[in-house]
């Protein structure tokens, strides 16, 4: 199994932000990435729908021979990873908003979390935020409309900037000094956010932590590749190949192929 690929899925292109971290840490691992853009945004769907889509994505990745699955989507992790872990006999790595490091470092004891409705309403998010937010005020904000803008390639548009400004404003009024990005699409908004946020507000996401956890799980299960060559990467989307390609184009050092198929 060691030289089988790592499977990664998201509701669309956002999980490529996680794929980049995994590829940087584990360059010899091959990967298969599923962008379920046709069904984005997951964040507005019911838990049952998110579980069904996560099952379908997992089965597709298993059919393609993946040795482990990274759920590169906060919404799918917080709603479906318990089900996946109970029902499939492979390791799953998930992603959740990085409340813990933000809460530990916040001086103003006020932290903002920008995430989807599906993530913020999940019981996993609630228990994590209760566990780590002792004495910390958490300002939650649903990022309605941001995922469709990113999925259509409008990362830097004036519409995106205006929408983000309305989401950030109540957090700034509440005195946040950390902004947690609780959706894997949102790291692509960091340049716009940096223009909008005062210098003392730090942005934090979970991408690097997920890559480290992926490595730890591979080591623990004796599943690290023994190849000395750079991994091969296959990307699958059920909508526009060009959009997905535009999110991975800077990683030309690795061998990438994008298919429109599933
Ligand atoms: N990228 C996903 C996340 O991390 C899902 C966004 C969506 O489809 O609503 O939550």
């Amino acid at each position: 199994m060691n030289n089988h690929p790592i499977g990664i899925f998201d509701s669309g292109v956002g999980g490529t932000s996680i794929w980049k971290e995994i590829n940087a840490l584990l360059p010899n691992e091959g990967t298969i990435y599923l962008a379920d853009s046709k069904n984005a945004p997951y964040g507005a769907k019911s838990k049952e729908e998110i579980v069904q889509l996560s099952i379908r994505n997992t089965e597709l990745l298993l059919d393609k021979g993946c040795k482990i699955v990274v759920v590169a989507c906060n919404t799918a992790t917080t709603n479906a990873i318990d089900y996946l872990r109970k029902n499939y006999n492979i390791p799953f790595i998930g992603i959740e908003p990085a409340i813990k490091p933000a809460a530990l470092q916040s001086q103003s004891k006020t932290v903002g979390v920008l995430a989807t409705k599906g993530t913020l309403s999940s019981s996993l998010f609630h228990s994590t935020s209760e566990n780590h937010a002792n004495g910390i005020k958490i300002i939650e904000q649903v990022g309605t409309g941001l995922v469709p803008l990113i999925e259509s390639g409008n990362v830097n548009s004036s519409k995106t900037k205006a929408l983000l400004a309305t989401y950030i404003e109540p957090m700034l009024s509440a005195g946040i000094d950390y902004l947690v990005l609780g959706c894997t699409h949102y790291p692509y908004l960091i340049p716009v956010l940096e223009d909008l946020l005062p210098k003392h507000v730090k942005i934090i996401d979970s991408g690097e932590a997920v890559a480290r956890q992926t490595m730890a799980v591979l080591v623990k299960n004796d599943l690290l590749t023994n190849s000395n060559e750079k991994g091969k990467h296959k990307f699958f989307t059920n909508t526009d190949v060009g959009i997905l390609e535009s999110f991975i184009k800077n990683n030309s050092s690795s061998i990438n192929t994008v298919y429109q198929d599933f």
Side-chain angles (χ1 to χ4, degrees), residues 96-100 103-104 111 113 119-140:
E96 285 183 69
I99 295 177
K100 185 180 176 184
L104 286 173
V111 165
V113 183
T119 294
L120 294 175
S121 61
S122 68
S123 49
L124 188 55
F125 174 78
H126 282 286
S127 55
T128 307
S129 80
E130 269 160 34
N131 287 347
H132 298 305
N134 227 344
I136 303 281
K137 202 164 154 198
I138 307 249
I139 314 291
E140 297 174 15

Side-chain angles (χ1 to χ4, degrees), residues 80-90 92:
I81 205 161
D82 286 352
Y83 180 93
L84 298 175
R85 286 189 172 134
K86 276 189 202 119
N87 288 278
Y88 294 93
N89 197 19
I90 50 146
F92 286 89

Side-chain angles (χ1 to χ4, degrees), residues 52-227:
Q52 284 313 315
L53 290 167
S54 300
I55 292 171
R56 195 271 321 253
N57 296 336
T58 298
E59 304 247 336
L60 285 167
L61 291 170
L62 292 179
D63 284 351
K64 294 179 191 303
C66 293
K67 57 185 175 183
I68 60 166
V69 169
V70 179
V71 182
C73 173
N74 292 257
T75 312
T77 299
T78 51
N79 286 276
I81 205 161
D82 286 352
Y83 180 93
L84 298 175
R85 286 189 172 134
K86 276 189 202 119
N87 288 278
Y88 294 93
N89 197 19
I90 50 146
F92 286 89
I93 292 107
I95 178 162
E96 285 183 69
I99 295 177
K100 185 180 176 184
L104 286 173
Q105 293 170 77
S106 174
Q107 300 291 310
S108 67
K109 305 281 175 218
T110 312
V111 165
V113 183
L114 186 63
T116 70
K117 180 162 164 270
T119 294
L120 294 175
S121 61
S122 68
S123 49
L124 188 55
F125 174 78
H126 282 286
S127 55
T128 307
S129 80
E130 269 160 34
N131 287 347
H132 298 305
N134 227 344
I136 303 281
K137 202 164 154 198
I138 307 249
I139 314 291
E140 297 174 15
Q141 176 65 54
V142 176
T144 307
L146 293 173
V147 166
L149 282 166
I150 297 164
E151 284 289 320
S152 55
N154 288 301
V155 172
N156 295 309
S157 70
S158 52
K159 196 169 169 195
T160 307
K161 195 167 183 177
L163 194 55
L164 268 177
T166 65
Y167 294 155
I168 295 310
E169 204 276 320
M171 298 187 185
L172 294 177
S173 302
I176 64 159
D177 60 356
Y178 273 84
L179 173 62
V180 177
L181 301 184
C183 170
T184 56
H185 283 71
Y186 298 168
Y188 290 111
L189 300 173
I190 289 175
V192 181
L193 281 166
E194 282 174 346
D195 277 352
L196 291 169
L197 291 169
K199 288 272 168 294
H200 72 279
V201 178
K202 294 180 188 64
I203 301 170
I204 195 161
D205 70 65
S206 315
E208 267 183 63
V210 171
R212 285 196 302 273
Q213 181 62 12
T214 303
M215 181 151 129
V217 168
L218 289 175
V219 169
K220 185 169 164 234
N221 291 279
D222 199 14
L223 282 172
L224 272 178
T225 182
N226 46 38
S227 163

